[in-house]
Amino acid sequence: MLSMEQTNAGIDIEALKISFYGAGSMAEAIVRGLINQKLTKPEQISMLNRQNADRLNELSEKYGIRTVLNGSTNEQFIQDADIIFLAMKPKDAVSAISSIKHLLSENQLIVSVIAGLSISSIERVLGRSAAIVRTMPNTSSTIGLGVTGISYSGSVTEEQRKLAETMFASIGINAVVEESLQDSIVGVSGSGPAYVYFFMEAMMQAAEKLGLPADQAKELIVQTVLGAAEMVRTTGEEPAELRRKVTSPNGTTQAAIESMAASGLTEAVVRGMLRSAERAGEIGSDIERSTLS
């Protein structure tokens, strides 16, 4: 059972130093959320990566955070941080964590946003147990409407849990789950935005066949999807019930739904989501094997 939590931002994050190893879009989304929600100040945040100085300069100018592509300074950022975000690409994760493990201390909170990387794998690379938060945010986090699956190692304290949930509440909502369900989070919400985009693509193709101009069709479809999602959220009704309310017997909607059902839409969606979760497990297994070699 998922526990959906929008946490209270009562923890004094502003007093803590936060360092991001990795400067991709998800790291940027979290930085933006922390700053926009006034949970901390830009000067409390540092960001580093291995080689892309242009990207670091861009983020420094955009948000006012501390960045530099210099070995000694980067090491100081990591050593001084109260919270370390691991935000590098999965293929680089093991080597990157290995390269900084001597800089990490036991009193730091480690937050991973690396898909497929388990808590046990991180601890194996570190060579010790640690306070680790494993997360799976989705891309809607970049506009503050994300969903983040959160799991904890046994070393994470209650205060650190509140801290993690407060930070991720700045980019959307949290789903606190047992780590064994993280692959399921990938299948449902991690890959979820792409399913919606895929369906919207199909709707746009149909709109074209129906003679609507592309720009007008896009506007209509975006508003339709937005309105439908908001109806579910604001009314609290189940999607199936809302669908029934707009499906008149022998009407246009019923004709469309029957055609889609006959084409196997439901089964295709279910199979796709299960395959996404399965693939997440496969990626995790590959990373797991790399920590054992």
Side-chain angles (χ1 to χ4, degrees), residues 2-72:
L2 297 185
S3 173
M4 304 301 292
E5 299 178 295
Q6 186 81 30
T7 57
N8 186 316
I11 296 175
D12 186 15
I13 298 174
E14 189 173 347
L16 305 177
K17 291 183 178 179
I18 304 172
S19 187
F20 287 78
Y21 193 149
S25 59
M26 194 54 65
E28 181 180 1
I30 298 168
V31 166
R32 186 191 301 114
L34 292 173
I35 294 172
N36 287 352
Q37 295 300 316
K38 302 187 185 305
L39 295 181
T40 191
K41 295 179 179 178
E43 56 265 30
Q44 290 293 92
I45 301 173
S46 63
M47 185 173 284
L48 55 137
N49 61 18
R50 286 184 166 182
Q51 55 188 9
N52 193 340
D54 290 341
R55 173 63 172 166
L56 291 177
N57 289 334
E58 173 196 342
L59 294 174
S60 180
E61 291 175 6
K62 192 173 183 179
Y63 300 104
I65 61 177
R66 302 169 68 198
T67 62
V68 65
L69 196 67
N70 174 288
S72 60

Side-chain angles (χ1 to χ4, degrees), residues 19-293:
S19 187
F20 287 78
Y21 193 149
S25 59
M26 194 54 65
E28 181 180 1
I30 298 168
V31 166
R32 186 191 301 114
L34 292 173
I35 294 172
N36 287 352
Q37 295 300 316
K38 302 187 185 305
L39 295 181
T40 191
K41 295 179 179 178
E43 56 265 30
Q44 290 293 92
I45 301 173
S46 63
M47 185 173 284
L48 55 137
N49 61 18
R50 286 184 166 182
Q51 55 188 9
N52 193 340
D54 290 341
R55 173 63 172 166
L56 291 177
N57 289 334
E58 173 196 342
L59 294 174
S60 180
E61 291 175 6
K62 192 173 183 179
Y63 300 104
I65 61 177
R66 302 169 68 198
T67 62
V68 65
L69 196 67
N70 174 288
S72 60
T73 306
N74 285 346
E75 289 188 359
Q76 199 63 50
F77 283 160
I78 294 171
Q79 289 176 319
D80 291 347
D82 298 290
I83 305 167
I84 305 287
F85 275 85
L86 303 177
M88 63 285 289
K89 295 177 181 178
K91 66 181 181 64
D92 301 325
V94 173
S95 61
I97 296 170
S98 295
S99 72
I100 63 170
K101 67 180 182 180
H102 65 288
L103 303 172
L104 303 177
S105 63
E106 293 186 358
N107 61 345
Q108 291 172 318
L109 180 65
I110 299 171
V111 182
S112 171
V113 295
I114 304 169
L117 186 64
S118 68
I119 291 170
S120 62
S121 292
I122 297 173
E123 291 183 327
R124 188 176 298 110
V125 176
L126 293 176
R128 61 177 174 84
S129 60
I132 298 170
V133 183
R134 178 181 174 183
T135 70
M136 183 67 248
N138 67 9
T139 57
S140 300
S141 300
T142 60
I143 58 169
L145 293 173
V147 176
T148 301
I150 301 179
S151 303
Y152 301 106
S153 71
S155 300
V156 177
T157 67
E158 185 60 33
E159 183 178 2
Q160 288 172 327
R161 285 175 177 247
K162 291 179 181 177
L163 177 61
E165 289 161 34
T166 296
M167 289 190 294
F168 282 97
S170 73
I171 56 172
I173 65 170
N174 304 329
V176 180
V177 299
E178 293 297 324
E179 190 182 9
S180 61
L181 290 175
Q182 280 287 355
D183 291 345
S184 299
I185 292 290
V186 174
V188 174
S189 59
S191 299
Y195 311 151
V196 179
Y197 304 147
F198 196 36
F199 185 68
M200 291 172 75
E201 287 179 71
M203 290 181 71
M204 290 181 71
Q205 289 179 26
E208 182 181 358
K209 291 180 181 296
L210 291 167
L212 289 170
D215 57 345
Q216 188 177 49
K218 181 179 178 181
E219 184 178 7
L220 292 171
I221 290 164
V222 168
Q223 185 65 20
T224 299
V225 172
L226 181 65
E230 190 64 11
M231 280 288 289
V232 175
R233 191 185 72 83
T234 58
T235 67
E237 294 185 66
E238 294 299 321
E241 179 59 27
L242 289 170
R243 174 175 57 80
R244 281 192 287 270
K245 286 183 176 181
V246 298
T247 307
S248 302
N250 298 315
T252 57
T253 306
Q254 181 176 334
I257 295 295
E258 287 178 350
S259 178
M260 292 177 185
S263 297
L265 177 63
T266 300
E267 292 78 7
V269 171
V270 172
R271 284 198 307 271
M273 292 176 68
L274 293 177
R275 177 58 188 140
S276 173
E278 181 183 48
R279 180 58 186 148
E282 292 169 355
I283 293 171
S285 295
D286 289 342
I287 296 175
E288 183 83 13
R289 280 191 292 272
S290 70
T291 67
L292 298 171
S293 59

